[in-house]
Amino acid sequence: MPDLDSYEKTMEVLNKYDFHFKKKYGQNFLINPHILEDIAEGAEISEYDTVTEIGPGIGALTQHLAEAAGRVICIELDDRLVPILHDTLSGYDNVTIINDDVLEVDFEKLFEQEKITGSVKFVANLPYYITTPIILGLLQKDIPFDSITVMVQREVAERMQAKPGTPEYGALTLAVEFYTEPEILFTVKPENFIPRPKVESAVITLHRKELTDEEKAIQGPLFKTVRAAFNQRRKTLVNAIYNAGISDLSKQEMENAMWNSCITTTWRAEVLSLKDYIRLAEVLKVK
Ligand code: SAM
């Protein structure tokens, strides 16, 4: 049974190990049992699933995940937490603890080593300082997973569902739309964590879409085009993409190609929809 789900229990563990939070690791631990349960339930985990948890902390969410999943693999950067996790998760024989930086993990290799063949679900209360690189990395590296259920800053959850033309719209929005069906599950107030973050949080699930062969073929050029456009978002589209050197077309040929496919060359990055970006990558013959 999970036993880490209160402020008192969490403090007991932290005091036992003389553990002090490191702000640079984005350490805000959840202390509300209902929220831990709601995250595990929202991720729709079954005994057939392997859950990969990013940043288990002292294992409060891990315990709930281990109750529901066939296996849990957790990846924690802070080596001071490893002996704590071995202690708090000692009652579970389906948990593997890996001390590593999630941004450095080769998941394909890891899943092969751990002999994981079935469905994989990522679940995390993410360290907020690297939310975007973690999510973009999971989406774009062709990692086999069914869904990602994560706690993020509320504004980041909203950015994932932003509409073209709004300031929140960007590369993250487009990657989430291309690869997944996003669903915001609920929001969480700062008082449910220690230490308290300054902002509200939200739990979002990204359900993986099956890509068509055409989508698989265009994904590389598409995200090169998106990155080029947003890296120079103050510039016009044609200039931003020409400067990035991702197409062999001359600037004049680019302007003609855009004109012929009804994309105005002076538009800026945030105006184009996903469909526009796919068309743009195709007509500009981005490599
Ligand atoms: N899961 C715990 C909970 O919900 O209470 C802790 C969540 S806390 C927001 C984020 C966790 O991610 C911390 O344990 C932190 O040490 C870990 N972390 C930070 N950067 C990481 C990285 N690059 N790779 C893996 N874990 C990381």
Side-chain angles (χ1 to χ4, degrees):
M1 284 291 282
D3 64 356
L4 283 176
D5 38 15
S6 69
Y7 172 77
E8 290 73 24
K9 295 271 178 54
T10 303
M11 287 313 294
E12 207 179 287
V13 173
L14 298 181
N15 290 335
K16 178 172 165 193
Y17 287 90
D18 193 23
F19 180 86
H20 298 276
F21 294 103
K22 274 195 183 158
K23 204 172 165 195
K24 70 169 180 174
Y25 288 162
Q27 292 177 333
N28 301 95
F29 293 174
L30 271 167
I31 49 168
N32 183 330
H34 304 296
I35 291 170
L36 293 164
E37 224 171 277
D38 289 349
I39 297 174
E41 268 178 28
E44 296 181 350
I45 300 159
S46 83
E47 63 198 289
Y48 304 107
D49 294 320
T50 296
V51 170
T52 305
E53 188 192 4
I54 299 163
I58 61 166
L61 178 59
T62 324
Q63 290 188 340
H64 288 261
L65 301 173
E67 294 278 337
R71 273 192 75 182
V72 180
I73 297 185
C74 42
I75 299 155
E76 174 54 62
L77 176 63
D78 188 345
D79 54 9
R80 300 171 306 152
L81 288 166
V82 175
I84 304 184
L85 286 164
H86 280 291
D87 179 0
T88 59
L89 300 171
S90 61
Y92 296 94
D93 61 6
N94 58 346
V95 179
T96 306
I97 299 158
I98 293 174
N99 182 204
D100 208 342
D101 178 343
V102 68
L103 296 177
E104 302 293 326
V105 173
D106 178 340
F107 281 101
E108 236 173 308
K109 205 163 132 197
L110 173 66
F111 294 155
E112 203 181 303
Q113 270 167 5
E114 295 293 329
K115 300 190 173 43
I116 288 154
T117 47
S119 133
V120 174
K121 291 177 173 163
F122 280 88
V123 182
N125 168 17
L126 284 179
Y128 291 170
Y129 74 107
I130 44 168
T131 301
T132 301
I134 291 176
I135 293 178
L136 283 180
L138 294 180
L139 295 179
Q140 293 180 331
K141 274 191 212 148
D142 212 15
I143 296 164
F145 70 83
D146 282 2
S147 62
I148 303 176
T149 299
V150 279
M151 172 98 72
V152 295
Q153 288 181 38
R154 186 182 176 156
E155 57 155 284
V156 177
E158 287 166 357
R159 211 187 306 154
M160 290 190 216
Q161 295 192 310
K163 298 273 173 266
T166 61
E168 295 78 27
Y169 187 73
L172 181 64
T173 324
L174 286 153
V176 164
E177 186 182 348
F178 184 74
Y179 290 104
T180 77
E181 305 269 2
E183 182 189 359
I184 294 183
L185 302 183
F186 53 90
T187 57
V188 181
K189 298 235 178 291
E191 53 268 31
N192 294 294
F193 302 82
I194 45 166
R196 289 182 184 196
K198 289 201 175 74
V199 291
E200 262 200 20
S201 304
V203 176
I204 186 163
T205 293
L206 308 175
H207 302 276
R208 171 78 115 188
K209 281 195 226 164
E210 196 64 53
L211 295 189
T212 62
D213 288 344
E214 289 79 31
E215 285 171 331
K216 279 184 193 155
I218 197 67
Q219 60 183 325
L222 166 65
F223 285 101
K224 275 189 197 164
T225 311
V226 168
R227 265 195 303 278
F230 281 97
N231 280 349
Q232 298 199 321
R233 61 192 299 163
R234 305 252 160 268
K235 293 217 163 26
T236 61
L237 264 183
V238 72
N239 282 334
I241 294 171
Y242 181 72
N243 291 347
I246 55 175
S247 161
D248 288 336
L249 301 189
S250 68
K251 200 161 165 187
Q252 186 59 56
E253 286 169 328
M254 280 190 177
E255 285 179 346
N256 294 344
M258 287 165 80
W259 181 256
N260 289 336
S261 59
C262 304
I263 297 170
T264 305
T265 54
T266 53
W267 279 352
R268 285 168 210 275
E270 61 274 17
V271 186
L272 273 72
S273 68
L274 177 61
K275 277 192 182 146
D276 294 331
Y277 272 110
I278 292 174
R279 210 163 70 248
L280 190 60
E282 283 167 351
V283 299
L284 296 186
K285 300 186 172 56
V286 172
K287 295 165 288 176

